[in-house]
Amino acid sequence: MDPCNIDWNEVWKGTLERELESNKNVDCSAIWHNKERARRFWNMFQDNNAKTITEKRIKGMKLSSDSRVLDIGSGPGTLAIPIAQQVAHVTAVEPSDGMMSVMKENIEEYGIKNINCVHKDWEAIDVESDLSAPYDVVFASYSLGMKDIRTSVQKMIDASSRYVYMYWFAGETSWDMHSRILWPFLHGYEYQPAPKCDVLYNVLYSMRIYPNVKVFPFEHVHRYATFEEAVEDFKSYYNVTSSTQETILRSYLKGILEVDNGNLIQRGWSTRVKMWWEK
């Protein structure tokens, strides 16, 4: 098939739909409605190594003290909170209940006054009525689980007066690898991963957007106080609902979890991609 005749938006949409179907129609973002899990995600990015990575990501954006910034899929405020301490204004869009709840607690704890929270899915956002556009910088950091990615990107462009940044994944991630191994035993069929940056780039190309691209490795660590805590957390990641599935998961986790300073950790890795352009 001629690549020029491929509707890459449909490729993206179809891949996401197959991923959702393989996950028994449980949207991956649904796990973040749980406040405890959202808080654990925030804590994962608070050690010195993770903070250094966050600082590098922030320095990689064109920000100034008078910048107005839009963070799409802001989670618990991992980027929004430190960015708000450097710029004039941040609007943080986040659909998950747990993430939004933790972000509001973090905003209060850090005494942040210049973040406006919008508790809504990006695809349901109306730029004119839900936001205070335009923004100097618009970014979506690993939050591109949008079925109609072309329309979602166009909305980012509409909200921006200058820069758009997107972060996504290249190749197989560690959670893809673990899911690929576990899925046949847990669910009886093969795992379907989410679309990666190759499809995203082609969507942008079809929109006559030719972004700058930077590829880099990334490692993160899931840390748990007890084995039971780890089991409960990973049950949601792997859609484990039965006792039989839990037995399989427990056996697998015993083989991959490491002991570190009295805690259990699971190291994760991925190759990540930053795409950005100036209007």
Side-chain angles (χ1 to χ4, degrees):
M1 182 181 292
D2 184 351
C4 296
N5 295 325
I6 296 174
D7 186 335
W8 290 102
N9 194 57
E10 287 300 314
V11 173
W12 178 278
K13 186 184 299 183
T15 307
L16 270 184
E17 287 174 347
R18 289 191 296 274
E19 180 200 24
L20 185 61
E21 184 179 332
S22 78
N23 207 31
K24 298 183 178 178
N25 292 316
V26 178
D27 193 308
C28 62
S29 66
I31 66 173
W32 304 118
H33 288 304
N34 181 287
K35 185 176 178 181
E36 181 181 345
R37 191 167 291 112
R39 174 59 68 182
R40 187 180 294 116
F41 181 89
W42 165 263
N43 291 337
M44 185 171 67
F45 285 92
Q46 298 313 300
D47 64 35
N48 290 334
N49 182 57
K51 281 187 175 181
T52 299
I53 293 170
T54 298
E55 288 169 3
K56 286 182 179 179
R57 200 182 314 169
I58 293 171
K59 286 181 180 178
M61 289 188 267
K62 298 286 187 179
L63 300 172
S64 65
S65 59
D66 60 351
S67 292
R68 302 183 71 260
V69 179
L70 174 61
D71 181 355
I72 300 165
S74 55
T78 307
L79 292 172
I81 288 175
I83 286 175
Q85 298 174 59
Q86 303 178 28
V87 303
H89 171 82
V90 175
T91 294
V93 176
E94 173 54 47
S96 299
D97 295 341
M99 288 293 199
M100 179 57 72
S101 178
V102 172
M103 178 164 59
K104 287 182 176 179
E105 289 178 358
N106 289 335
I107 289 170
E108 184 175 353
E109 179 182 344
Y110 283 81
I112 305 295
K113 304 298 184 183
N114 59 337
I115 295 182
N116 178 38
C117 297
V118 181
H119 189 187
K120 208 166 185 180
D121 186 279
W122 179 247
E123 290 190 280
I125 286 283
D126 181 88
V127 172
E128 291 188 5
S129 61
D130 293 322
L131 306 176
S132 52
Y135 299 91
D136 303 292
V137 172
V138 172
F139 72 90
S141 182
Y142 311 110
S143 55
L144 296 174
M146 307 146 184
K147 286 187 178 178
D148 188 346
I149 192 65
R150 181 186 290 130
T151 299
S152 296
V153 169
Q154 185 59 54
K155 203 181 294 186
M156 295 177 201
I157 295 169
D158 294 342
S160 174
S161 62
R162 192 162 187 187
Y163 296 104
V164 178
Y165 296 84
M166 297 191 300
Y167 299 82
W168 202 234
F169 306 98
E172 186 176 61
T173 65
S174 58
W175 55 90
D176 284 338
M177 182 268 289
H178 292 305
S179 296
R180 175 169 51 78
I181 295 169
L182 276 170
W183 229 250
F185 297 102
L186 292 174
H187 304 293
Y189 48 84
E190 291 186 358
Y191 169 72
Q192 170 63 54
K196 298 300 192 291
C197 67
D198 55 337
V199 182
L200 178 59
Y201 184 87
N202 278 292
V203 170
L204 296 177
Y205 196 91
S206 70
M207 297 172 71
R208 297 185 179 180
I209 298 169
Y210 314 117
N212 302 286
V213 178
K214 181 179 180 180
V215 181
F216 55 97
F218 186 89
E219 183 181 28
H220 63 273
V221 176
H222 290 273
R223 188 174 297 274
Y224 304 97
T226 66
F227 183 70
E228 293 305 317
E229 183 184 3
V231 170
E232 286 304 308
D233 195 36
F234 281 104
K235 279 169 66 175
S236 61
Y237 284 109
Y238 299 117
N239 199 17
V240 168
T241 56
S242 72
S243 58
T244 301
Q245 290 173 322
E246 184 173 331
T247 298
I248 294 169
L249 177 62
R250 284 175 175 273
S251 177
Y252 189 77
L253 290 178
K254 286 178 181 178
I256 66 169
L257 293 178
E258 307 171 31
V259 178
D260 180 72
N261 292 326
N263 293 318
L264 291 171
I265 64 170
Q266 191 247 325
R267 300 184 188 277
W269 47 262
S270 55
T271 300
R272 306 201 172 193
V273 176
K274 170 187 174 184
M275 297 183 184
W276 76 103
W277 65 95
E278 183 177 359
K279 288 182 63 176

